[in-house]
Amino acid sequence: MKEAIIALAASAVIAAGLAFNPALAQTSALKGHNSNAPVDVAADRIEVQDRADRAVFSGNVQVRQSDLTLSAARLTVAYSNAGGIQIERLDASGGVTVRSPSETARGQYAIYDLNRRIITMIGDVTLTRGDSNVKGGRLVLDLDSGRAVMDGAGPAGTANQGGRVTGTFTVPQRRY
């Protein structure tokens, strides 16, 4: 059982690090990100719920791969146990932040469906690059097509429920 927990934790760490890498790789700054770099994870606690096929990392969860980081209060890893552990879905909650050297995405929740290769961030989502930012209720990243869509529709009870997408963008300064 101890080996299964260690294997699950290692799989979850690798999946968590790689899961958020492709989403940000759609931006120019991460095209050179080393997705083969080691993945480190730290959390105050891990709970393996073997009968439910999931593991829960909680308390100041930090995942790092090269110069890409993910932080959240809680990370739930759903897996199937048929023929070995297969990670299917990652759910991060509690002030989720995904950060590269040049971009930062923040939201209340992030969901990565590994089977569909789609990452969704919801709840007061902000994507920042330099002095420019876009805000909305939901950000959906399709890792197969590279399409990213921000909309104003947030979950019930959030500030962006039925809201709009807003943005502030820097422009080149011209000298006359």
Side-chain angles (χ1 to χ4, degrees):
M1 179 65 175
K2 190 176 194 179
E3 291 79 18
I5 292 171
I6 292 169
L8 174 61
S11 296
V13 168
I14 292 166
L18 296 178
F20 288 92
N21 176 27
L24 290 177
Q26 306 306 318
T27 63
S28 61
L30 284 179
K31 285 183 182 174
H33 176 70
N34 181 6
S35 62
N36 293 320
V39 176
D40 299 312
V41 68
D44 294 339
R45 182 171 192 254
I46 180 175
E47 175 184 341
V48 177
Q49 300 170 354
D50 216 19
R51 289 184 183 173
D53 290 338
R54 70 178 165 228
V56 179
F57 293 88
S58 59
N60 192 29
V61 179
Q62 301 286 322
V63 179
R64 177 179 298 276
Q65 181 184 41
S66 185
D67 54 6
L68 182 68
T69 61
L70 162 72
S71 60
R74 181 179 170 106
L75 178 70
T76 301
V77 179
Y79 60 91
S80 68
N81 207 0
I85 295 172
Q86 299 289 321
I87 305 296
E88 295 180 346
R89 179 176 160 141
L90 302 172
D91 292 22
S93 63
V96 180
T97 301
V98 178
R99 180 171 296 162
S100 77
S102 60
E103 290 100 13
T104 301
R106 288 186 170 87
Q108 293 175 2
Y109 308 96
I111 301 161
Y112 177 46
D113 183 330
L114 281 82
N115 295 326
R116 294 178 53 216
R117 296 185 39 84
I118 293 177
I119 295 174
T120 305
M121 292 187 78
I122 56 175
D124 301 323
V125 180
T126 301
L127 180 60
T128 304
R129 183 173 192 181
D131 292 332
S132 299
N133 67 69
V134 178
K135 297 179 181 182
R138 178 176 53 200
L139 174 64
V140 178
L141 300 152
D142 183 322
L143 303 179
D144 288 330
S145 69
R147 184 175 181 209
V149 177
M150 175 85 78
D151 63 40
T158 65
N160 287 89
Q161 179 182 353
R164 296 172 51 92
V165 175
T166 61
T168 302
F169 305 94
T170 57
V171 296
Q173 299 299 305
R174 296 192 173 107
R175 297 181 186 206
Y176 297 98

